[in-house]
Amino acid sequence: MNSEQDQFSAIMDGWNSNAGQPVGNCPVRGVLDKISDKWSMLLVMTLASGPKRFNQLRRDIPDISQKMLTQTLRELQRDGMVSRKVYDTKPPAVEYSLTPLGHSIIVPFGHLIRWANDNHPHIDQARAVFDTPSDPA
C-alpha cells in the first residue's frame, strides 16, 4: 500500500470506530462542531502567527463583532486550543495565544484551506449549473 492509501485507511478506521455510537457521543462530531463554526478557524489561523491582544484580533478579523470574538475565544479556551494571559498593568493587558493543542490543528486546517482554494472554482461552477433553471422543453 502507498502512503495515501495508508492515510485513507487510518482515517476510515477512525471514522468507522464511531459507528453505532449515539450521535451526541460522537467525538468527531463533537470536535468538528466546535472548530468548524464561522469564526474558530479564522481565529486559530490568525493566532498561528503568534500571540495577539483582543483589539488586534478585532483588527485582523474586522467583520467579527466584539461579542462573537469574546464568545469564540472563550469556547476555544474551554476546548484547550487557546490560552489567555492577563498582564498586571494598568489597565490590565490580555493576550491570547494558541496552546500546543491549538498549534496541532494548524496543519490539518492548512490542508482544508488548500483544498478549498484549489476547488473553489469547481464549486462555483457546480453552484452556477445547479442554480440555472433547466429548460422544461
Side-chain angles (χ1 to χ4, degrees):
M1 256 201 271
N2 68 32
S3 175
E4 190 171 309
Q5 288 173 324
D6 291 341
Q7 289 178 1
F8 177 76
S9 292
I11 290 167
M12 292 310 295
D13 286 346
W15 176 258
N16 291 331
S17 71
N18 296 315
Q21 289 188 31
V23 174
N25 294 338
C26 176
V28 173
R29 181 177 179 178
V31 170
L32 289 180
D33 281 350
K34 291 292 190 167
I35 63 171
S36 67
D37 67 38
K38 185 174 181 177
W39 303 112
S40 292
M41 181 186 282
L42 285 171
L43 279 167
V44 167
M45 295 310 288
T46 300
L47 289 169
S49 62
K52 297 196 183 322
R53 292 176 62 174
F54 187 89
N55 285 331
Q56 182 61 50
L57 288 168
R58 284 204 62 201
R59 284 190 294 275
D60 289 349
I61 308 173
D63 49 340
I64 192 170
S65 69
Q66 182 171 336
K67 178 182 177 183
M68 188 53 62
L69 177 56
T70 299
Q71 180 179 328
T72 306
L73 285 167
R74 285 185 181 152
E75 289 172 7
L76 289 168
Q77 279 182 265
R78 181 175 181 258
D79 290 341
M81 306 279 257
V82 169
S83 66
R84 180 179 185 265
K85 184 174 182 179
V86 179
Y87 292 93
D88 189 21
T89 59
K90 301 243 186 231
V94 178
E95 186 177 78
Y96 296 90
S97 61
L98 292 180
T99 64
L101 182 63
H103 279 286
S104 74
I105 194 113
I106 293 171
V107 171
F109 274 174
H111 290 299
L112 181 58
I113 290 165
R114 187 176 311 110
W115 181 90
N117 284 330
D118 291 348
N119 289 288
H120 189 262
H122 305 292
I123 293 168
D124 276 349
Q125 182 181 16
R127 287 174 178 168
V129 168
F130 185 87
D131 292 344
T132 301
S134 58
D135 188 10

